[in-house]
Amino acid sequence: MIDECLVVEFSVTGDDCPLADASRETGVTVDARPPQLRRDDNALLRFSAGDAADDLAAVLDADERIRYLHTSRTDGATNFRCLSKHPCVVHELTDAGFMAETLQYRAGTERHTGAVVGHDVLQGVLAAAAETVGVSLERVSPLGSEDDDAVAQRWDVTPAQEAALRTALEMGYFEVPRGATASDVADELGISKSAFLERLHRGQATLFAQVFG
C-alpha cells in the first residue's frame, strides 16, 4: 500500500481546446470540473462563468467542436454543460495518473489542480507534461490530513463559489485586518463586487451547513 499522496498544480498555456479558446477570445474566467471522456472520444464538460457569460455562450455555440450546449443560472453565475469533440490537455495528464480536481481558464492560461499517488506516479505525470505543449509544474506538496478535504473531498459548492472562496483566502480577505477588499478580490476574479459577495456568502453558508451539520 502507498501511503504518500501529493498535491500538484500545473500551469498550461497554448491550449487550443474550446474552453481555452473561448476564454482567451472573450476574456471571461471559466471554472471547470474535470472533463469526462466517453468511449466515442467526446468529452463531457461542466463549467461556470460570471460576468459576460453570454459572450462566452455565444462563442461556444458557434464552435463546431461543441455540441448540445446547455446553460442555467444559479447564484449569479451561468452554469454550462456540453459535449466537446476536441481532446483536453488534462486527459494526457490523467492517463499518466493525475487526479484532477479543479480547472480554471483565464486569459489564455489554465490552472489544473489535483493529486497524484506517490513519487513514481508523479514522475510519469511529469514525463507526460514534458511531452505536452505549454504544460509546466507550478506546485507540488505532500497531502496532509489537513489538506485532504480540500483536494480529495468535493464540498457541495459551485465552481464559481469555490473560486471566490479560494481567491479571497489567498488574497488575505479573511485576515484581520483585511489584506484585500471585496473590490480587490472581485477585480482579480474579473466579476462585479456584488457578484463576488453573493458567491462568497452562498459558499460560506453551504460550507458552514456541512461543517456544523
Side-chain angles (χ1 to χ4, degrees), residues 37-68:
L37 188 62
R38 306 195 320 180
R39 286 185 177 181
D40 61 3
D41 291 332
N42 279 285
L44 299 169
L45 304 182
R46 291 185 296 168
F47 51 98
S48 67
D51 291 356
D54 289 343
D55 294 340
L56 182 71
V59 170
L60 290 171
D61 200 33
D63 192 325
E64 294 182 352
R65 299 170 295 177
I66 294 294
R67 301 167 59 202
Y68 307 117

Side-chain angles (χ1 to χ4, degrees), residues 169-192:
L169 181 63
E170 292 170 358
M171 295 183 66
Y173 178 79
F174 298 112
E175 296 175 1
V176 180
R178 291 192 193 280
T181 66
S183 295
D184 293 335
V185 182
D187 289 343
E188 177 66 20
L189 290 167
I191 60 177
S192 66

Side-chain angles (χ1 to χ4, degrees), residues 138-209:
E138 288 288 305
R139 177 174 67 97
V140 59
S141 60
L143 176 66
S145 59
E146 70 277 7
D147 303 318
D148 196 51
D149 286 342
V151 176
Q153 177 178 334
R154 272 287 179 196
W155 294 104
D156 190 20
V157 296
T158 67
Q161 291 167 0
E162 181 179 353
L165 289 163
R166 285 183 181 275
T167 304
L169 181 63
E170 292 170 358
M171 295 183 66
Y173 178 79
F174 298 112
E175 296 175 1
V176 180
R178 291 192 193 280
T181 66
S183 295
D184 293 335
V185 182
D187 289 343
E188 177 66 20
L189 290 167
I191 60 177
S192 66
K193 177 182 176 181
S194 60
F196 161 66
L197 290 174
E198 180 179 1
R199 295 180 193 182
L200 182 72
H201 294 157
R202 288 183 181 274
Q204 287 176 318
T206 298
L207 289 176
F208 292 160

Side-chain angles (χ1 to χ4, degrees), residues 47-50 53-54 71-74 76-80 199:
F47 51 98
S48 67
D54 289 343
T71 64
S72 61
R73 294 281 298 179
T74 57
T78 301
N79 302 310
F80 297 80
R199 295 180 193 182

Side-chain angles (χ1 to χ4, degrees), residues 118-152:
H119 276 88
D120 289 345
V121 176
L122 175 61
Q123 292 304 315
V125 173
L126 292 179
E131 296 175 358
T132 306
V133 176
V135 179
S136 60
L137 180 66
E138 288 288 305
R139 177 174 67 97
V140 59
S141 60
L143 176 66
S145 59
E146 70 277 7
D147 303 318
D148 196 51
D149 286 342
V151 176

